Amino acid sequence: MARLIRYVGLLLLLATPLLTSCIIEARKEAPRVTSGEAVPRGFPSSVRIARDTQRTFEERTAQVVAAAGDGKINILALSGGGAGAAFGAGALVGWSRVGTRPQFQIVTGVSAGALIAPLAFLGPDWDGELKEAFSGSQTRHLLKRRMAGVLFGSSIYRGEPLAALVDHYVTDQMIKAIAAEGAKGRLLLVATTNLDTEQTNIWNLTNIAAQGGEKARRLFRDVLIASASIPGAFPPVLIRVEDSSGGFDELHVDGGTTASFFIAPEIAGFLPGQITLLRGANLYVILNEQLSATPATTPIGTLAIIKRGIAAGLNSGARADLQIAVSLARQHGMSIEVTGIPAAYPFRGLLGLEPFAMKSLFEYGASCAAAGQLWGTPLGVLEASERISNASSGGTLQCPAASNPLAPPMEASAALHDRAPNDDLAHEAP
């Protein structure tokens, strides 16, 4: 349950009109045993990567290698992190500004990272949408409580605002652009969690987009909404599928319940064998979260203890997943660079979706990228996560890979220090 809660902020992302058909209250019962081959009606099996498809993935990887031209594959993995997605979005935009951001042959995303992933996949030409979605202007109305939702519904918060936001950005233009890039061999993969099987599902959004039309756009949208829907906080997303036994419904929620991020399908344990074609790839991991928290006295109170316990679980899980990524990179001879929100940054929490907090974090990520102080080694980032800083009391704040302190944007610094201490519930909409 800890993992799920991290991404309540992640909704921050995409925004506007919604078709509520993807968020439901009734469903057709799923079979106790399935073939593992079920897919949404009218779509090929390649839109979803299952545990037993290593050969299929190797074939896809060969196409990715061909798409790389010089044979050098660039992989971008985007973690979840709720409101922390503002950091990753800012980092990508700042990276574009200095002109060194590469084209990624594989982009993967979980939860908040899944919402960033399509825009990151499409490249710097879509940075305007990335900035609009994550720098604060679209987040203020996402947390809407449901009346008696805890007792009689499927979630505390209404699903419509998040779904409307995603629906706003997942346009026909986006679907066509992703399909065109997918035709070149590039891969866009995001994770959801199937509540019925309690397993991670990895969706190939490039193959979904390739089907074209409104049906493809709706499935693409529903997968993104599901990946960002924390169980209990937001309604699960119903996806109707069929296999040789017939049709049934699946309930999908936040992919962050099972992994902070993933590299191709392997990091989630889907493909334990070596994928030799990934050897020598450049791997970039953006952690839209903190790996540790600044020590602070925990009040003796139920809510404070629950919140601190959840944060500890999320931090521990992210560190473990990063260590797995390092092991995988070594196994395949990959280079790996990592960035994330330092423990010293006055992050307002997963639900810190206020425009001033989002804008501050976005600009911080962009500033660090522009200063060339964004990327570090996994060990360096882990060590930096342990540093204690006086940033919370008005001092300077280092970037994730800074050798010298870099003050955050003045507006960000002033706004963050003038506000009350972080309290997720204090920021919730009524």
Side-chain angles (χ1 to χ4, degrees):
M1 184 65 180
R3 273 217 202 273
L4 352 164
I5 294 179
R6 90 159 78 194
Y7 299 114
V8 67
L10 72 100
L11 352 165
L12 60 91
L13 182 11
L14 323 149
T16 241
L18 150 73
L19 301 94
T20 57
S21 60
C22 64
I23 299 176
I24 43 73
E25 298 296 338
R27 60 172 302 190
K28 185 176 181 180
E29 185 175 352
R32 291 185 177 272
V33 179
T34 67
S35 65
E37 300 173 351
V39 292
R41 177 177 296 179
F43 290 89
S45 60
S46 61
V47 302
R48 183 154 65 175
I49 300 173
R51 288 184 179 274
D52 59 353
T53 58
Q54 179 166 347
R55 185 177 68 178
T56 301
F57 183 73
E58 288 176 337
E59 292 171 353
R60 292 193 187 100
T61 305
Q63 296 172 351
V64 168
V65 172
D70 61 1
K72 201 68 166 180
I73 299 175
N74 295 309
I75 303 173
L76 175 66
L78 297 156
S79 87
F87 170 79
L92 287 166
V93 171
W95 200 4
S96 297
R97 289 172 183 167
V98 297
T100 57
R101 177 176 159 186
Q103 182 183 74
F104 303 106
Q105 282 68 51
I106 302 176
V107 175
T108 74
V110 172
S111 196
L115 298 180
I116 297 174
L119 298 169
F121 180 79
L122 291 175
D125 288 346
W126 290 70
D127 280 358
E129 287 84 350
L130 195 59
K131 180 176 181 179
E132 178 186 68
F134 290 94
S135 62
S137 62
Q138 303 292 337
T139 63
R140 68 178 73 233
H141 301 302
L142 286 180
L143 300 182
K144 298 290 186 181
R145 283 188 177 273
R146 299 179 61 182
M147 297 301 294
V150 176
L151 295 177
F152 304 108
S154 60
S155 63
I156 297 173
Y157 298 108
R158 293 166 51 194
E160 288 81 1
L162 172 61
L165 187 53
V166 176
D167 199 62
H168 173 71
Y169 285 96
V170 179
T171 62
D172 290 336
Q173 181 186 8
M174 172 183 279
I175 297 300
K176 290 176 181 177
I178 288 174
E181 293 304 313
K184 300 175 184 177
R186 299 175 64 207
L187 279 175
L188 173 60
L189 308 173
V190 303
T192 64
T193 297
N194 184 332
L195 281 181
D196 300 318
T197 63
E198 298 183 358
Q199 293 181 349
T200 301
N201 278 207
I202 296 177
W203 298 84
N204 187 332
L205 294 187
T206 36
N207 279 8
I208 292 176
Q211 304 307 303
E214 178 61 13
K215 190 173 183 179
R217 192 193 73 83
R218 289 187 181 187
L219 179 59
F220 191 107
R221 174 204 64 188
D222 290 355
V223 169
L224 290 182
I225 296 169
S227 188
S229 295
I230 304 164
F234 294 91
V237 174
L238 181 148
I239 297 179
R240 292 188 166 88
V241 299
E242 59 183 18
D243 60 12
S244 57
S245 66
F248 55 94
D249 296 337
E250 295 178 344
L251 282 186
H252 287 262
V253 295
D254 191 346
T257 61
T258 51
S260 297
F261 62 92
F262 68 96
I263 303 165
E266 296 163 287
I267 196 104
F270 279 69
L271 299 176
Q274 282 201 350
I275 305 298
T276 57
L277 289 173
L278 293 181
R279 183 166 298 280
N282 300 315
L283 172 61
Y284 301 91
V285 178
I286 295 181
L287 300 171
N288 298 300
E289 56 193 317
Q290 294 175 313
L291 293 178
S292 63
T294 301
T297 300
T298 303
I300 302 299
T302 302
L303 181 59
I305 292 172
I306 289 175
K307 287 169 60 178
R308 199 69 174 181
I310 288 172
L314 296 179
N315 294 340
S316 176
R319 290 195 298 271
D321 286 342
L322 181 55
Q323 291 168 350
I324 294 172
V326 171
S327 177
L328 180 67
R330 288 174 177 169
Q331 180 183 4
H332 295 292
M334 301 178 185
S335 67
I336 178 169
E337 295 189 73
V338 183
T339 190
I341 305 172
Y345 186 89
F347 184 43
R348 297 183 65 80
L350 305 176
L351 301 181
L353 301 173
E354 304 91 344
F356 81 90
M358 297 292 292
K359 182 178 180 181
S360 295
L361 186 54
F362 179 94
E363 293 298 339
Y364 170 73
S367 297
C368 290
Q373 297 179 332
L374 184 66
W375 298 104
T377 65
L379 179 59
V381 170
L382 284 168
E383 289 178 345
S385 73
E386 302 299 332
R387 294 181 193 138
I388 305 303
S389 168
N390 63 350
S392 61
S393 61
T396 57
L397 176 67
Q398 287 188 329
C399 285
S403 57
N404 296 307
L406 172 72
M410 290 302 296
E411 179 179 354
S413 180
L416 288 168
H417 299 316
D418 288 345
R419 298 294 178 123
N422 179 33
D423 183 345
D424 288 349
L425 294 187
H427 303 148
E428 293 177 7

PDB file of all heavy atoms in Angstrom, residues 57-87:
ATOM      1  N   PHE A  57      10.329  -9.943 -27.047  1.00  0.00           N
ATOM      2  CA  PHE A  57      11.012  -8.718 -26.666  1.00  0.00           C
ATOM      3  C   PHE A  57      12.377  -8.609 -27.332  1.00  0.00           C
ATOM      4  O   PHE A  57      12.810  -7.522 -27.707  1.00  0.00           O
ATOM      5  CB  PHE A  57      11.171  -8.628 -25.150  1.00  0.00           C
ATOM      6  CG  PHE A  57      11.809  -7.338 -24.726  1.00  0.00           C
ATOM      7  CD1 PHE A  57      11.089  -6.157 -24.792  1.00  0.00           C
ATOM      8  CD2 PHE A  57      13.126  -7.297 -24.331  1.00  0.00           C
ATOM      9  CE1 PHE A  57      11.673  -4.948 -24.441  1.00  0.00           C
ATOM     10  CE2 PHE A  57      13.727  -6.099 -23.974  1.00  0.00           C
ATOM     11  CZ  PHE A  57      12.994  -4.927 -24.032  1.00  0.00           C
ATOM     12  N   GLU A  58      13.073  -9.726 -27.480  1.00  0.00           N
ATOM     13  CA  GLU A  58      14.365  -9.697 -28.157  1.00  0.00           C
ATOM     14  C   GLU A  58      14.201  -9.222 -29.603  1.00  0.00           C
ATOM     15  O   GLU A  58      15.032  -8.476 -30.129  1.00  0.00           O
ATOM     16  CB  GLU A  58      15.020 -11.071 -28.104  1.00  0.00           C
ATOM     17  CG  GLU A  58      15.533 -11.430 -26.715  1.00  0.00           C
ATOM     18  CD  GLU A  58      16.099 -12.835 -26.652  1.00  0.00           C
ATOM     19  OE1 GLU A  58      15.716 -13.661 -27.510  1.00  0.00           O
ATOM     20  OE2 GLU A  58      16.912 -13.108 -25.758  1.00  0.00           O
ATOM     21  N   GLU A  59      13.110  -9.642 -30.230  1.00  0.00           N
ATOM     22  CA  GLU A  59      12.848  -9.183 -31.596  1.00  0.00           C
ATOM     23  C   GLU A  59      12.610  -7.681 -31.617  1.00  0.00           C
ATOM     24  O   GLU A  59      13.099  -6.960 -32.496  1.00  0.00           O
ATOM     25  CB  GLU A  59      11.640  -9.931 -32.166  1.00  0.00           C
ATOM     26  CG  GLU A  59      11.894 -11.420 -32.396  1.00  0.00           C
ATOM     27  CD  GLU A  59      10.637 -12.177 -32.752  1.00  0.00           C
ATOM     28  OE1 GLU A  59       9.537 -11.567 -32.696  1.00  0.00           O
ATOM     29  OE2 GLU A  59      10.738 -13.369 -33.089  1.00  0.00           O
ATOM     30  N   ARG A  60      11.851  -7.177 -30.632  1.00  0.00           N
ATOM     31  CA  ARG A  60      11.608  -5.742 -30.557  1.00  0.00           C
ATOM     32  C   ARG A  60      12.913  -4.986 -30.301  1.00  0.00           C
ATOM     33  O   ARG A  60      13.147  -3.919 -30.855  1.00  0.00           O
ATOM     34  CB  ARG A  60      10.611  -5.417 -29.441  1.00  0.00           C
ATOM     35  CG  ARG A  60       9.193  -5.918 -29.694  1.00  0.00           C
ATOM     36  CD  ARG A  60       8.234  -5.280 -28.695  1.00  0.00           C
ATOM     37  NE  ARG A  60       6.916  -5.859 -28.813  1.00  0.00           N
ATOM     38  CZ  ARG A  60       6.445  -6.805 -27.998  1.00  0.00           C
ATOM     39  NH1 ARG A  60       7.198  -7.245 -27.024  1.00  0.00           N
ATOM     40  NH2 ARG A  60       5.239  -7.294 -28.167  1.00  0.00           N
ATOM     41  N   THR A  61      13.748  -5.563 -29.448  1.00  0.00           N
ATOM     42  CA  THR A  61      15.004  -4.912 -29.133  1.00  0.00           C
ATOM     43  C   THR A  61      15.892  -4.819 -30.371  1.00  0.00           C
ATOM     44  O   THR A  61      16.592  -3.823 -30.576  1.00  0.00           O
ATOM     45  CB  THR A  61      15.745  -5.657 -28.005  1.00  0.00           C
ATOM     46  OG1 THR A  61      14.870  -5.771 -26.882  1.00  0.00           O
ATOM     47  CG2 THR A  61      16.988  -4.903 -27.578  1.00  0.00           C
ATOM     48  N   ALA A  62      15.856  -5.843 -31.213  1.00  0.00           N
ATOM     49  CA  ALA A  62      16.623  -5.799 -32.455  1.00  0.00           C
ATOM     50  C   ALA A  62      16.158  -4.641 -33.336  1.00  0.00           C
ATOM     51  O   ALA A  62      16.962  -3.961 -33.979  1.00  0.00           O
ATOM     52  CB  ALA A  62      16.492  -7.124 -33.200  1.00  0.00           C
ATOM     53  N   GLN A  63      14.854  -4.396 -33.332  1.00  0.00           N
ATOM     54  CA  GLN A  63      14.325  -3.266 -34.093  1.00  0.00           C
ATOM     55  C   GLN A  63      14.799  -1.947 -33.504  1.00  0.00           C
ATOM     56  O   GLN A  63      15.108  -0.996 -34.222  1.00  0.00           O
ATOM     57  CB  GLN A  63      12.794  -3.322 -34.108  1.00  0.00           C
ATOM     58  CG  GLN A  63      12.221  -4.545 -34.815  1.00  0.00           C
ATOM     59  CD  GLN A  63      10.711  -4.665 -34.639  1.00  0.00           C
ATOM     60  OE1 GLN A  63      10.108  -3.939 -33.860  1.00  0.00           O
ATOM     61  NE2 GLN A  63      10.111  -5.591 -35.367  1.00  0.00           N
ATOM     62  N   VAL A  64      14.883  -1.892 -32.176  1.00  0.00           N
ATOM     63  CA  VAL A  64      15.364  -0.687 -31.501  1.00  0.00           C
ATOM     64  C   VAL A  64      16.812  -0.409 -31.882  1.00  0.00           C
ATOM     65  O   VAL A  64      17.208   0.730 -32.130  1.00  0.00           O
ATOM     66  CB  VAL A  64      15.221  -0.827 -29.975  1.00  0.00           C
ATOM     67  CG1 VAL A  64      15.971   0.277 -29.252  1.00  0.00           C
ATOM     68  CG2 VAL A  64      13.749  -0.791 -29.581  1.00  0.00           C
ATOM     69  N   VAL A  65      17.630  -1.470 -31.922  1.00  0.00           N
ATOM     70  CA  VAL A  65      19.035  -1.315 -32.307  1.00  0.00           C
ATOM     71  C   VAL A  65      19.129  -0.730 -33.707  1.00  0.00           C
ATOM     72  O   VAL A  65      19.928   0.182 -33.974  1.00  0.00           O
ATOM     73  CB  VAL A  65      19.773  -2.660 -32.237  1.00  0.00           C
ATOM     74  CG1 VAL A  65      21.178  -2.532 -32.825  1.00  0.00           C
ATOM     75  CG2 VAL A  65      19.858  -3.145 -30.789  1.00  0.00           C
ATOM     76  N   ALA A  66      18.303  -1.236 -34.618  1.00  0.00           N
ATOM     77  CA  ALA A  66      18.309  -0.713 -35.994  1.00  0.00           C
ATOM     78  C   ALA A  66      17.900   0.752 -36.012  1.00  0.00           C
ATOM     79  O   ALA A  66      18.448   1.557 -36.771  1.00  0.00           O
ATOM     80  CB  ALA A  66      17.372  -1.541 -36.867  1.00  0.00           C
ATOM     81  N   ALA A  67      16.957   1.120 -35.149  1.00  0.00           N
ATOM     82  CA  ALA A  67      16.484   2.507 -35.105  1.00  0.00           C
ATOM     83  C   ALA A  67      17.551   3.444 -34.572  1.00  0.00           C
ATOM     84  O   ALA A  67      17.532   4.649 -34.861  1.00  0.00           O
ATOM     85  CB  ALA A  67      15.233   2.611 -34.230  1.00  0.00           C
ATOM     86  N   ALA A  68      18.503   2.898 -33.803  1.00  0.00           N
ATOM     87  CA  ALA A  68      19.533   3.743 -33.208  1.00  0.00           C
ATOM     88  C   ALA A  68      20.553   4.233 -34.220  1.00  0.00           C
ATOM     89  O   ALA A  68      21.322   5.146 -33.937  1.00  0.00           O
ATOM     90  CB  ALA A  68      20.244   2.987 -32.087  1.00  0.00           C
ATOM     91  N   GLY A  69      20.570   3.651 -35.401  1.00  0.00           N
ATOM     92  CA  GLY A  69      21.490   4.115 -36.442  1.00  0.00           C
ATOM     93  C   GLY A  69      22.904   3.656 -36.199  1.00  0.00           C
ATOM     94  O   GLY A  69      23.404   2.739 -36.844  1.00  0.00           O
ATOM     95  N   ASP A  70      23.582   4.278 -35.229  1.00  0.00           N
ATOM     96  CA  ASP A  70      24.964   3.915 -34.929  1.00  0.00           C
ATOM     97  C   ASP A  70      25.046   2.720 -33.984  1.00  0.00           C
ATOM     98  O   ASP A  70      26.130   2.321 -33.555  1.00  0.00           O
ATOM     99  CB  ASP A  70      25.713   5.102 -34.321  1.00  0.00           C
ATOM    100  CG  ASP A  70      25.084   5.584 -33.011  1.00  0.00           C
ATOM    101  OD1 ASP A  70      24.080   4.988 -32.573  1.00  0.00           O
ATOM    102  OD2 ASP A  70      25.608   6.557 -32.433  1.00  0.00           O
ATOM    103  N   GLY A  71      23.878   2.135 -33.661  1.00  0.00           N
ATOM    104  CA  GLY A  71      23.860   0.965 -32.800  1.00  0.00           C
ATOM    105  C   GLY A  71      23.895   1.281 -31.331  1.00  0.00           C
ATOM    106  O   GLY A  71      23.821   0.377 -30.497  1.00  0.00           O
ATOM    107  N   LYS A  72      24.025   2.538 -30.947  1.00  0.00           N
ATOM    108  CA  LYS A  72      24.071   2.941 -29.542  1.00  0.00           C
ATOM    109  C   LYS A  72      22.663   3.263 -29.060  1.00  0.00           C
ATOM    110  O   LYS A  72      22.042   4.228 -29.525  1.00  0.00           O
ATOM    111  CB  LYS A  72      24.973   4.168 -29.379  1.00  0.00           C
ATOM    112  CG  LYS A  72      25.497   4.365 -27.971  1.00  0.00           C
ATOM    113  CD  LYS A  72      26.489   3.263 -27.593  1.00  0.00           C
ATOM    114  CE  LYS A  72      27.270   3.636 -26.347  1.00  0.00           C
ATOM    115  NZ  LYS A  72      28.227   2.571 -25.985  1.00  0.00           N
ATOM    116  N   ILE A  73      22.155   2.486 -28.148  1.00  0.00           N
ATOM    117  CA  ILE A  73      20.799   2.669 -27.656  1.00  0.00           C
ATOM    118  C   ILE A  73      20.802   3.591 -26.441  1.00  0.00           C
ATOM    119  O   ILE A  73      21.595   3.415 -25.516  1.00  0.00           O
ATOM    120  CB  ILE A  73      20.169   1.318 -27.271  1.00  0.00           C
ATOM    121  CG1 ILE A  73      20.093   0.407 -28.494  1.00  0.00           C
ATOM    122  CG2 ILE A  73      18.783   1.523 -26.669  1.00  0.00           C
ATOM    123  CD1 ILE A  73      19.605  -0.982 -28.172  1.00  0.00           C
ATOM    124  N   ASN A  74      19.911   4.569 -26.448  1.00  0.00           N
ATOM    125  CA  ASN A  74      19.693   5.444 -25.292  1.00  0.00           C
ATOM    126  C   ASN A  74      18.365   5.065 -24.653  1.00  0.00           C
ATOM    127  O   ASN A  74      17.330   5.033 -25.326  1.00  0.00           O
ATOM    128  CB  ASN A  74      19.665   6.911 -25.719  1.00  0.00           C
ATOM    129  CG  ASN A  74      20.996   7.379 -26.270  1.00  0.00           C
ATOM    130  OD1 ASN A  74      22.034   7.191 -25.658  1.00  0.00           O
ATOM    131  ND2 ASN A  74      20.968   7.984 -27.451  1.00  0.00           N
ATOM    132  N   ILE A  75      18.398   4.774 -23.356  1.00  0.00           N
ATOM    133  CA  ILE A  75      17.202   4.361 -22.615  1.00  0.00           C
ATOM    134  C   ILE A  75      16.926   5.383 -21.516  1.00  0.00           C
ATOM    135  O   ILE A  75      17.830   5.761 -20.771  1.00  0.00           O
ATOM    136  CB  ILE A  75      17.391   2.970 -21.980  1.00  0.00           C
ATOM    137  CG1 ILE A  75      17.729   1.933 -23.056  1.00  0.00           C
ATOM    138  CG2 ILE A  75      16.135   2.556 -21.212  1.00  0.00           C
ATOM    139  CD1 ILE A  75      18.099   0.568 -22.480  1.00  0.00           C
ATOM    140  N   LEU A  76      15.678   5.809 -21.414  1.00  0.00           N
ATOM    141  CA  LEU A  76      15.253   6.718 -20.351  1.00  0.00           C
ATOM    142  C   LEU A  76      14.222   6.013 -19.494  1.00  0.00           C
ATOM    143  O   LEU A  76      13.196   5.548 -19.999  1.00  0.00           O
ATOM    144  CB  LEU A  76      14.641   7.997 -20.935  1.00  0.00           C
ATOM    145  CG  LEU A  76      14.046   8.981 -19.921  1.00  0.00           C
ATOM    146  CD1 LEU A  76      15.134   9.570 -19.020  1.00  0.00           C
ATOM    147  CD2 LEU A  76      13.279  10.101 -20.638  1.00  0.00           C
ATOM    148  N   ALA A  77      14.485   5.910 -18.189  1.00  0.00           N
ATOM    149  CA  ALA A  77      13.544   5.317 -17.237  1.00  0.00           C
ATOM    150  C   ALA A  77      13.057   6.400 -16.289  1.00  0.00           C
ATOM    151  O   ALA A  77      13.860   7.071 -15.637  1.00  0.00           O
ATOM    152  CB  ALA A  77      14.201   4.181 -16.457  1.00  0.00           C
ATOM    153  N   LEU A  78      11.744   6.566 -16.200  1.00  0.00           N
ATOM    154  CA  LEU A  78      11.119   7.617 -15.396  1.00  0.00           C
ATOM    155  C   LEU A  78      10.357   6.977 -14.240  1.00  0.00           C
ATOM    156  O   LEU A  78       9.455   6.165 -14.455  1.00  0.00           O
ATOM    157  CB  LEU A  78      10.165   8.436 -16.255  1.00  0.00           C
ATOM    158  CG  LEU A  78      10.807   9.202 -17.423  1.00  0.00           C
ATOM    159  CD1 LEU A  78       9.787   9.480 -18.512  1.00  0.00           C
ATOM    160  CD2 LEU A  78      11.422  10.498 -16.924  1.00  0.00           C
ATOM    161  N   SER A  79      10.715   7.356 -13.033  1.00  0.00           N
ATOM    162  CA  SER A  79      10.055   6.773 -11.858  1.00  0.00           C
ATOM    163  C   SER A  79       8.760   7.509 -11.543  1.00  0.00           C
ATOM    164  O   SER A  79       8.478   8.582 -12.076  1.00  0.00           O
ATOM    165  CB  SER A  79      10.989   6.838 -10.645  1.00  0.00           C
ATOM    166  OG  SER A  79      10.863   8.078  -9.974  1.00  0.00           O
ATOM    167  N   GLY A  80       8.008   6.926 -10.611  1.00  0.00           N
ATOM    168  CA  GLY A  80       6.872   7.630 -10.053  1.00  0.00           C
ATOM    169  C   GLY A  80       7.357   8.624  -9.012  1.00  0.00           C
ATOM    170  O   GLY A  80       8.547   8.790  -8.781  1.00  0.00           O
ATOM    171  N   GLY A  81       6.410   9.271  -8.334  1.00  0.00           N
ATOM    172  CA  GLY A  81       6.801  10.235  -7.312  1.00  0.00           C
ATOM    173  C   GLY A  81       5.790  11.322  -7.064  1.00  0.00           C
ATOM    174  O   GLY A  81       6.097  12.302  -6.406  1.00  0.00           O
ATOM    175  N   GLY A  82       4.582  11.202  -7.609  1.00  0.00           N
ATOM    176  CA  GLY A  82       3.560  12.197  -7.344  1.00  0.00           C
ATOM    177  C   GLY A  82       3.957  13.563  -7.838  1.00  0.00           C
ATOM    178  O   GLY A  82       4.412  13.735  -8.966  1.00  0.00           O
ATOM    179  N   ALA A  83       3.834  14.540  -6.975  1.00  0.00           N
ATOM    180  CA  ALA A  83       4.166  15.913  -7.337  1.00  0.00           C
ATOM    181  C   ALA A  83       5.626  16.059  -7.741  1.00  0.00           C
ATOM    182  O   ALA A  83       6.006  17.036  -8.387  1.00  0.00           O
ATOM    183  CB  ALA A  83       3.858  16.848  -6.177  1.00  0.00           C
ATOM    184  N   GLY A  84       6.449  15.076  -7.370  1.00  0.00           N
ATOM    185  CA  GLY A  84       7.854  15.105  -7.759  1.00  0.00           C
ATOM    186  C   GLY A  84       8.067  15.036  -9.257  1.00  0.00           C
ATOM    187  O   GLY A  84       9.181  15.288  -9.738  1.00  0.00           O
ATOM    188  N   ALA A  85       7.035  14.703 -10.019  1.00  0.00           N
ATOM    189  CA  ALA A  85       7.149  14.675 -11.471  1.00  0.00           C
ATOM    190  C   ALA A  85       7.544  16.034 -12.034  1.00  0.00           C
ATOM    191  O   ALA A  85       8.092  16.122 -13.133  1.00  0.00           O
ATOM    192  CB  ALA A  85       5.836  14.216 -12.101  1.00  0.00           C
ATOM    193  N   ALA A  86       7.270  17.095 -11.284  1.00  0.00           N
ATOM    194  CA  ALA A  86       7.688  18.432 -11.729  1.00  0.00           C
ATOM    195  C   ALA A  86       9.204  18.490 -11.888  1.00  0.00           C
ATOM    196  O   ALA A  86       9.725  19.191 -12.762  1.00  0.00           O
ATOM    197  CB  ALA A  86       7.215  19.490 -10.739  1.00  0.00           C
ATOM    198  N   PHE A  87       9.923  17.765 -11.028  1.00  0.00           N
ATOM    199  CA  PHE A  87      11.386  17.737 -11.134  1.00  0.00           C
ATOM    200  C   PHE A  87      11.823  17.095 -12.447  1.00  0.00           C
ATOM    201  O   PHE A  87      12.642  17.657 -13.187  1.00  0.00           O
ATOM    202  CB  PHE A  87      11.984  16.973  -9.956  1.00  0.00           C
ATOM    203  CG  PHE A  87      13.457  16.688 -10.117  1.00  0.00           C
ATOM    204  CD1 PHE A  87      14.396  17.679  -9.874  1.00  0.00           C
ATOM    205  CD2 PHE A  87      13.900  15.440 -10.529  1.00  0.00           C
ATOM    206  CE1 PHE A  87      15.756  17.433 -10.039  1.00  0.00           C
ATOM    207  CE2 PHE A  87      15.255  15.174 -10.690  1.00  0.00           C
ATOM    208  CZ  PHE A  87      16.181  16.172 -10.451  1.00  0.00           C
TER     209      PHE A  87
END
